[in-house]
Amino acid sequence: MELKDKVTQLKGVGPKKAQALEKLNIRTLEDMVFFLPRDYEDRRNRLRIGQLAEDMTGAVEARVTMIVPDGYRRGGKQLLRLLVSDDTGSMEVIFFNARYLKNVFKQGESYLFFGKVSRNFGKLQMVHPEFERASEAGSGILAVYPLTKGISQREMRNWQEAVRPLYEKAEDFLSDEMKSANRLCSLRYALENVHFPEEKQSLLEAKYRLIFDELLVLQTGMMAARAAAKEGKDGIAFSRDADISEYIDSLPYSLTEAQSRCVREIEEDLESEKAMNRLVQGDVGSGKTAVAEIALYKAVKSGWQAVLMAPTEILARQHFDGIGSAFRAHGIRVGFLSSSVGAAEKRETLEKIKTGQVQVVIGTHAVIQPEVEFAALGLVITDEQHRFGVRQRVKLREKGRNPNVLVMTATPIPRTLSVVLYGDMDVSVIDQLPPGRQPVRTRSIGQEKRDLCYDFVKKQLEMGRQAYVVTPLIEGSESVDARSALQVSEELRKRFSGYRVSLIHGAMKQAEKDEIMDAFHRGSIDVLVATVVIEVGINVPNATVMVVENAERFGLAQLHQLRGRVGRGREKSYCFLIFEGQSEIAKKRGEIMERSSDGFFIAEEDLKLRGPGEIFGTRQHGLPDLNIADLSRHLKIMNHARGEAKVILEKDPKLESAENSGLKRRITRLFGEDLNLDL
Ligand code: ADP
Ligand code: MG
């Protein structure tokens, strides 16, 4: 038996099981060895039913005395109910929506049930416990694996047992020196104790080692790829004679100090031989677009093409309309690309991009499609970059030969994490709003004040202002109890007779959405009822009211983004968050929104309320899926690993030495063959 052998070598793995295992990314025995548990069951203490009390978690061996026939429902769900007992008492075991289990259990047989004890009408219960036939049940601390349909914990545990002899063949890619410096156990010990832990302490040591490994592999891989991408390629230096002041002077306002600083930093980068790699962080409304425009202008004046990619069609259009008309006044030719552009027009635009006639391209992810070829791309910009994955950014950059890169975001990212995500990207912060802005007055209210809220909106309309009303749903739904955009727009049409109320949502045709957004920009729509399609970037300074219906359905960061749609002009602006129900977390969110308009503060609070998973999900940032490490929880280990990664790469930048061959293999495993992850 060897690590590289296929799983079909294992007893009980035929084509069907192999297919199921493939879904878990397990193809070889090595994959099996490195497939880690998601949790553990401590079966060392078997409990008797007589000892059980509410909220205990443990293993109980008991005999099935009755299988209650189906037809029993609760909350519309089909239930399977078992009565089980030992000589100290009896309890119920409940499974929801699991009728197939009916034929799995046999009356009179004994099983081991593992789960949490609850009480229902005084009766002891276990709901959805893990279970095994008592005669086959394992003991000790048992690993629980993240499985897929067609594979049981029991099968997985058997296979894991079968590959145990391979642990000693798994190459320990860390040097003894590094292990002792970081107090790490051997890989063999780690594998042994993560799959078959004897006690909690050894399990912790094992996990620490494996988390460290994963983070080391992640960081070494990203750093090495980054270095390789830069190597031998010079950046593009823009001309010192390309004067941006002419463009800045033509703007309808003067730049804030923060914008000016940011522009200076960018210009310095652009004029240097080194490729620019810069992140601009600025809260909603801080004026990031102007900064991007100036950079685009500099590129064109230096004789290069430039591209700006936005995450939504509406936002891309808005940039095209705004920047496009400003640039035309300077004789700069701007092209637009998105999936909604017709075939003939698209062909023409593509041709002009290829020949260099179009100097600036603005669009959605359509700009990274293979058929888009540039004559001489010198600058790429992504707006609201947190909406894009790593891969999309890389693709955009690959449209040129090491072009200058600028990414813009309103989402604050803790430094520790941005180091991993963006490497050594330089950061500019726009920490100032344009003058004359007043904070948006925010009120979180209950349903009882809804009428008052809309009376207020009406007064604003009478003053010639415009309003947004955002709802969580497009249409009414049976299963979700929340207001829908359709319903609200009907209601508001009646309430605001004499004003133009329009509806916009994600399921509409693009042309229709464009028309509506256009009309709202021009002021020929007064009230725009919308779903979150307007969440990012939209800029209509005359809109002064934002009403969010069922605000409890939105996260804090999202509410902040929505509120950022108003307060963009000189007029005083208002935001009403209408909450349904009294949930604690909703109340807390409302308070935070009333108290603060600082995106960084709000993001931190969001983190506390929602937990880190949602914000730092690797998927959201386009990183490879991690097995055991968690970027939000293991920042400390990450810093350790990062330090070690640097040491390794300083000595051996391309990981060519025999000593690092194991590490290199692990990097390939994590990122896949395509390691050209130029971050
Ligand atoms: P964001 O940073 O959220 O992308 P935008 O670039 O959309 O913000 O700018 C928001 C609004 O502020 C726009 O209406 C823009 O014209 C205006 N603006 C930007 N910079 C300034 C400035 N220096 N002075 C006055 N208004 C500005
Ligand atoms: Mg913006």
Side-chain angles (χ1 to χ4, degrees), residues 262 266 276-282 288 291-292 295 307-309 379-386 388-390 392-394 396-397 404-410 413 421-422 425-428 430 679:
C262 187
I266 290 171
M276 174 168 79
N277 194 22
R278 187 170 284 278
L279 172 72
V280 173
Q281 271 189 18
K288 293 184 287 294
V291 169
V307 56
L308 170 63
M309 177 165 75
L379 169 68
V380 306
I381 305 183
T382 34
D383 191 16
E384 304 294 349
Q385 83 74 34
H386 59 286
F388 293 102
V390 170
Q392 286 167 309
R393 270 188 289 140
V394 170
L396 183 60
R397 176 184 287 202
N404 292 297
V405 172
L406 184 66
V407 303
M408 306 196 291
T409 184
I413 304 153
L421 291 171
Y422 309 116
M425 204 167 235
D426 301 304
V427 180
S428 293
I430 310 184
L679 291 163

Side-chain angles (χ1 to χ4, degrees), residues 444-487:
S444 51
I445 57 179
Q447 294 297 325
E448 74 285 352
K449 296 218 174 107
R450 198 166 168 268
D451 279 331
L452 281 176
C453 159
Y454 283 115
D455 288 345
F456 182 89
V457 173
K458 193 161 188 182
K459 291 215 183 80
Q460 288 286 304
L461 298 179
E462 283 162 5
M463 289 161 72
R465 306 281 123 71
Q466 292 161 278
Y468 296 98
V469 178
V470 172
T471 71
L473 302 177
I474 301 176
E475 292 178 56
S477 150
E478 273 182 31
S479 56
V480 186
D481 192 16
R483 284 176 211 276
S484 73
L486 263 172
Q487 183 192 338

Side-chain angles (χ1 to χ4, degrees), residues 288-289 315 318-319 383-384 408 537 568:
K288 293 184 287 294
T289 315
L315 189 51
Q318 175 182 287
H319 282 325
D383 191 16
E384 304 294 349
M408 306 196 291
R568 299 190 145 239

